[in-house]
Amino acid sequence: MISTVKQSAFTINGCDFIRSKSQSLASSRRISVLPPLPAMKSRRSSGVSISKPVFASSVESFGGLKRSNEKTDSGLVKCKAYEADRAEPIEGPESKTEVARKLKIGVYFATWWFLNVIFNIYNKKVLNAFPFPWLTSTLSLAAGSLIMLISWALRIAEAPKTDLEFWKTLFPVAVAHTIGHVAATVSMSKVAVSFTHIIKSGEPAFSVLVSRFLLGESFPTAVYLSLIPIIGGCGLSALTELNFNWIGFSGAMISNVAFVFRNIFSKKGMKGKSVSGMNYYACLSMLSLLILTPFAIAVEGPQMWALGFEKAVSQIGPQIVWWMAAQSVFYHLYNQVSYMSLDEISPLTFSIGNTMKRISVIVSSIIIFRTPVQPVNALGAAIAILGTFLYSQAKQ
């Protein structure tokens, strides 16, 4: 057995200092590993402070403390060290770094969920008073593009170094992102926010189907089984939705398919690219804005927008302007934070976070907009979300 005892930044290695397993030691008992050393010069320049004795604590697998069927990695005895005048073991520099990283991820998740809830509230308010989803989608992308251009100009954020090849690989991602964004906004303009997000929780089913039949990928049996509650829950919610609308339902389904292709194109095209999550989403927003603007003008047009805005102001008042600005800014911020979190966490953690985000949006929108929900409809939503969670677990 090899025991490594750390004191401050220095390490002392001792081999086989315990010969017999018959001596059972309590883990909380202090065990003197090295006797106190006299303060004298050593011929060997070890650089170890010898003014204090060093003890071992939290010793595992000594003697009878560990069952015979339990083994530590590589047969090593793991212990912590503390000086004689310390009450707690000396922690390595990694522990504080890990705590800071987990705290950072927690802040990302809380911010992501909060911003997403706020966006959905203002987005629905705008669409109720100003039912022009194409313009609303365009304004969301325009606000994000403007925010990032200002950030780069003022050097608040470092501008990405891109080339023509980067924009070529980003283009199919932007097309899919544009379609998914507009389709989701169209859906929310026709049905309740909660219903749109319940249908959008079925995105994993489309991901598996597209990857299996178009890309030839295979998945474990558990992944296919997790699709049963997803599809069943979404179907149950759709059948029992009080304010069901085919345009709203179709928009959510199209959004699912578009975002699946966005993820596929993004994974294939962005391998080896050194662009941060925040800047990647900024570039994606700008390219999507260029793609969407001419279509928004063709489908709705400035004349319809002017009439609709005049009507909204007469009904709501000048605060409609604030609502439109808020939904545009919060849309960019919540997406930016989600892309930034991808730099810090695994895809599994992100999937779980996305599932929890959808739950928070569904619950908050039902409460705020007082959406009537039947028990069987709520059951369908719960089953679909549970299936999404099981999918994220099975896919790893």
Side-chain angles (χ1 to χ4, degrees), residues 117-259:
V117 169
I118 299 300
F119 158 73
N120 278 278
I121 292 172
Y122 278 110
N123 190 47
K124 186 59 177 176
K125 283 187 173 184
V126 170
L127 292 172
N128 285 341
F130 185 74
F132 295 93
W134 289 78
L135 177 60
T136 303
S137 301
T138 305
L139 292 176
S140 301
L141 297 174
S145 300
L146 181 61
I147 290 171
M148 290 310 301
L149 287 173
I150 294 174
S151 299
W152 293 339
L154 298 179
R155 296 187 178 180
I156 299 174
E158 184 179 355
K161 297 179 180 179
T162 61
D163 52 20
L164 182 60
E165 186 63 27
F166 170 83
W167 293 100
K168 285 182 179 179
T169 56
L170 187 64
F171 182 77
V173 183
V175 171
H177 178 72
T178 303
I179 295 172
H181 176 40
V182 174
T185 309
V186 170
S187 175
M188 290 187 191
S189 69
K190 299 295 183 181
V191 295
V193 174
S194 57
F195 180 68
T196 297
H197 279 274
I198 291 171
I199 300 304
K200 282 178 66 62
S201 66
E203 183 178 325
F206 290 92
S207 179
V208 171
L209 293 175
V210 170
S211 299
R212 179 68 183 89
F213 294 105
L214 295 184
L215 302 180
E217 295 182 13
S218 58
F219 299 93
T221 304
V223 171
Y224 294 110
L225 293 176
S226 69
L227 301 183
I228 297 175
I230 294 177
I231 297 173
C234 290
L236 184 61
S237 294
L239 291 174
T240 57
E241 175 64 25
L242 295 176
N243 299 313
F244 182 84
N245 180 281
W246 276 108
I247 296 178
F249 176 77
S250 301
M253 296 289 280
I254 292 172
S255 178
N256 281 338
V257 176
F259 283 143

Side-chain angles (χ1 to χ4, degrees), residues 2 39 66 70 157 176 208 257 277 300 352:
I2 300 175
K66 205 114 174 130
E70 293 181 355
V208 171
V257 176
E300 294 174 347
I352 295 173

Side-chain angles (χ1 to χ4, degrees), residues 224-346:
Y224 294 110
L225 293 176
S226 69
L227 301 183
I228 297 175
I230 294 177
I231 297 173
C234 290
L236 184 61
S237 294
L239 291 174
T240 57
E241 175 64 25
L242 295 176
N243 299 313
F244 182 84
N245 180 281
W246 276 108
I247 296 178
F249 176 77
S250 301
M253 296 289 280
I254 292 172
S255 178
N256 281 338
V257 176
F259 283 143
V260 166
F261 279 101
R262 180 193 65 178
N263 295 338
I264 292 173
F265 293 146
S266 182
K267 288 178 182 178
K268 286 191 171 184
M270 291 298 109
K271 287 183 179 179
K273 304 294 182 182
S274 58
V275 178
S276 67
M278 180 176 65
N279 285 333
Y280 177 78
Y281 181 71
C283 295
L284 181 62
S285 295
M286 294 174 188
L287 192 52
S288 294
L289 176 62
L290 295 176
I291 296 171
L292 177 58
T293 301
F295 288 96
I297 294 173
V299 174
E300 294 174 347
Q303 187 175 0
M304 293 179 63
W305 296 336
L307 293 174
F309 184 75
E310 184 178 341
K311 182 179 179 181
V313 170
S314 65
Q315 294 177 347
I316 306 299
Q319 63 180 339
I320 186 64
V321 178
W322 156 248
W323 291 357
M324 295 173 74
Q327 74 88 23
S328 300
V329 171
F330 281 116
Y331 173 79
H332 172 78
L333 291 179
Y334 100 75
N335 276 289
Q336 179 177 298
V337 172
S338 71
Y339 272 81
M340 289 170 65
S341 67
L342 275 172
D343 291 339
E344 304 290 335
I345 60 179
S346 67

Side-chain angles (χ1 to χ4, degrees), residues 74-89:
S74 304
L76 298 180
V77 176
K78 297 181 180 180
C79 62
K80 295 181 179 180
Y82 62 92
E83 295 173 353
D85 59 350
R86 279 179 175 260
E88 296 179 354

Side-chain angles (χ1 to χ4, degrees), residues 17-33:
F17 59 88
I18 293 181
R19 299 288 184 180
S20 176
K21 290 187 177 180
S22 61
Q23 298 177 351
S24 176
L25 302 176
S27 60
S28 61
R29 181 182 175 185
R30 294 184 175 181
I31 305 166
S32 179
V33 178

